Amino acid sequence: MRFSVLTLFPELVESIVQTSITGRAIKSGRIELETIQIRNFAVNAYGQVDDALYGGGTGMLLRPEPVYAAWLAATGQSCPAEVVQHPELTRTIFLSPKGRVLNQALVEELAACPHLILVCGHYEGIDQRVLDAVVEEEVSIGDYVLTGGEIAAAVLIDAVSRLVPGVLPDQSAHEQESHSLGRLEQPQYTRPSSWQGQKVPDVLLSGHQARIDKFQYLSSLKDTLVKRPDLFNQLQLSAADYQELIEFACQDQNPLV
Ligand SMILES: C[S@@+](CC[C@H](N)C(=O)[O-])C[C@H]1O[C@@H](n2cnc3c(N)ncnc32)[C@H](O)[C@@H]1O
């Protein structure tokens, strides 16, 4: 899986992605991170990449020429006349507060493409014409405005990389985590079994795997109901699931709120 990031601040993306699990995935060659400095394609010797807005307004906008030249470099094509797009092999994404909001379903969709080109805006953003020419999808990491697309790109790379085979030590780990099955992961515990008077639920120490699995499933459903009722409402539960969840939630040890 290859990520090419078009940015004015490569060190910002690199410092995040080259750390911890994604950093190890780069070292082992399971993912590849390439940052392309948009300023290397400046329109003049002063390194200019932005300009004032037509029609007025505050702030500066990235000009189309440097962004387009950086995108051509990411696709390995130097001559605009030869440009061919292969969305199944390479997908160009603009990180933008106007985009489709990133969730696990979109992360899984993106992980199926072997090369993602991530375009990071800064300042007021990027001239619309170059976005229209190269971008296949706009992706937002939430309904708020960041100063630049770099942190959003790092978030996307992190989430997608977890799905690349071999990046996580246990390949099935992500399948049990929040959102993978449409619900939240159950609360988890480690040693000590008793801490500040709070005990780990007895069943988790019982060694009885079928009972543990049932407890964890119901804990996951309960957490989803309490914390994300919007997700809970989309789950396809059986009548038996509802009955067991009600009984589980009514136990003193596990109040619903
Ligand atoms: C200050 S923002 C520009 C906001 C733009 N003028 C608007 O109102 O839609 C600068 C850049 O940060 C990135 N950005 C900001 N918020 C984002 C978000 N929620 N998700 C992804 N990228 C974001 C985009 O690349 C954007 O071009």
Side-chain angles (χ1 to χ4, degrees), residues 87-138:
E88 68 291 356
L89 297 177
T90 298
R91 203 155 152 186
T92 301
I93 292 163
F94 175 44
L95 282 312
S96 159
K98 300 180 193 172
R100 185 173 156 197
V101 178
L102 191 65
N103 62 15
Q104 194 63 25
L106 179 53
V107 167
E108 284 170 20
E109 197 183 308
L110 296 177
C113 184
H115 182 201
L116 298 179
I117 300 177
L118 306 176
V119 185
C120 301
H122 226 90
Y123 315 120
E124 269 307 299
I126 299 182
D127 185 286
Q128 188 61 41
R129 291 165 294 178
V130 68
L131 297 177
D132 291 343
V134 307
V135 169
E136 269 121 12
E137 178 119 54
E138 290 192 30

Side-chain angles (χ1 to χ4, degrees), residues 61-62 94-99 119-126 131 139-153:
L61 202 64
L62 292 184
F94 175 44
L95 282 312
S96 159
K98 300 180 193 172
V119 185
C120 301
H122 226 90
Y123 315 120
E124 269 307 299
I126 299 182
L131 297 177
V139 174
S140 165
I141 62 160
D143 290 340
Y144 41 79
V145 177
L146 303 166
T147 54
E150 289 74 12
I151 293 171

Side-chain angles (χ1 to χ4, degrees), residues 185-198:
E185 187 177 64
Q186 70 282 355
Q188 293 178 306
Y189 306 89
T190 185
R191 291 192 173 90
S193 59
S194 178
W195 178 76
Q196 295 197 351
Q198 296 183 73

